[in-house]
Amino acid sequence: MSFTVGIVGAGPAGLLLGRLLHRAGIDSVVFENRDRDYVEQRQRAGILEQGTVNTLRAAGAADRLDRLGIPHDGIDLVYDGAAHRVDFVELTGARVWIYAQTEVVKDLIALRLADDLPLLFEAEVQSITLDPPMIHYRHDGQPHTFSCDYIVGCDGFHGVTRDLVPAPVLSRSFPYSWLGILVDAPPVHHELVYAHSRHGFALASMRSPTISRLYLQVPNGTTPDTWPDDRIWSELTTRLTPHTPNEGRITAKSVLPMRASVRQSMQQGPLFLAGDAAHIVPPTGAKGLNLAAHDVTVLAEAFTHLSQTGSPELLDAYTETCLRRIWRAQHFSNTMTTMLHISPDQTEFETQLQLSHLHHTTTSPPTTQSLAENYTGTTPL
Ligand SMILES: Cc1cc2nc3c(=O)[nH]c(=O)nc-3n(C[C@H](O)[C@H](O)[C@H](O)COP(=O)(O)OP(=O)(O)OC[C@H]3O[C@@H](n4cnc5c(N)ncnc54)[C@H](O)[C@@H]3O)c2cc1C
């Protein structure tokens, strides 16, 4: 069977789906409302599960990842001023990879353009119709319409496609946000550090051996200009103890709200949702990018099955196939978030519960194993 898929959004979900469909011989067109430079520079996630790495390798999109990605075999959990290592490889046989979302996106764009496949930047999708499937967009100052057989909404949390799937959205918000900075300095530690502190949560991550990515829990409504560099370094030093941050030039500062939401159906007729268009997880579990990659892997297999057999059975089962992993990631991300952050009205009783939870997580082998499985995406589903 031959058909064409219109993909809205050139984030990791849309670009990876386009790549997987191309490898399966299925035509697609990708519409992206921002310009190429913006999409390639947008700072977001940076941790890839082994499953995501495997997908990128199988898609022939991992040459740079295999050269520049940094494998991590564990993380440090810090509480009460002491560090406790969780060894993923020993517990699960799996590891994770540090490779920035910006690099994943750059790789996929370069491959798509090298293959001379349609990818329209500065093409804002304004609406879509489902019967028949049509994408209405503005490009070069003109309105256009693109007819296709299927539409996939990969346009993130603020896109136009998600509200066309009339399903309940289950969500929660958190009473805090993250201030994220990018720093020209070597990482704090050779692995990621997740720190519980009475001053609030801190995370020490990295983008490369010379670029650090650091986060501080801040109150909702915070703007980056209320955090001068000195204040950031002072808080990081306090919260990350016993680790010490390496100070350097801060090249980016932004505030990231913490949200969780799941649309209980990811499809409506010829429209499918993938990635942040369908669900948002708080970033504490490092799952957003990995879930997006998983959704489009399932969807690409379903389109491939349709093209090879004419049967829509896998497409019909798309939501059900994805939701189990999405809710597992949601549970893990929520658990990590509430275990590590200090709520504005938190009592000492609740702080002691968090410390007990952290102690249990780092000393009870089955509980440590559970964290390792969830973090690496190897939990049986
Ligand atoms: C601001 C932000 C910061 C984040 N930081 C972290 C982090 O630090 N750590 C972490 O683990 N995770 C983080 N995440 C989560 C992770 O980056 C996302 O889960 C991931 O980007 C999901 O990929 P996606 O392709 O589904 O959506 P996106 O990456 O959001 O891509 C959607 C694309 O659709 C385009 N688009 C939107 N509307 C239209 C339209 N009408 N027409 C055409 N194109 C459109 C957008 O421009 C964008 O390129 C962050 C997410 C956000 C939003």
Side-chain angles (χ1 to χ4, degrees), residues 8-14 31-34 39 42-46 101 123-126 154-160 178 207 213 215 256 274-277 283 286-289 292:
V8 185
F31 301 88
E32 166 58 49
N33 69 351
R34 310 304 295 247
V39 170
R42 191 169 38 197
Q43 284 303 324
R44 291 194 169 173
Q101 181 168 325
E124 185 193 0
V125 173
Q126 299 190 305
C154 298
D155 46 348
F157 191 61
H158 301 289
V160 295
W178 279 12
R207 288 292 179 261
R213 178 82 168 144
Y215 300 91
L256 169 64
D276 279 16
K287 292 292 166 216
L289 172 56

Side-chain angles (χ1 to χ4, degrees), residues 242-303:
H243 293 290
T244 310
N246 294 311
E247 294 190 24
R249 189 170 66 97
I250 297 177
T251 56
K253 252 185 223 182
S254 58
V255 173
L256 169 64
M258 309 279 285
R259 302 192 194 98
S261 99
V262 179
R263 192 164 288 259
Q264 284 293 81
S265 173
M266 297 163 67
Q267 59 199 102
Q268 173 73 13
L271 171 67
F272 297 84
L273 303 179
D276 279 16
H279 41 73
I280 294 281
V281 282
T284 330
K287 292 292 166 216
L289 172 56
N290 292 296
L291 279 182
H294 182 259
D295 289 350
V296 297
T297 305
V298 171
L299 197 50
E301 279 168 13
F303 279 128

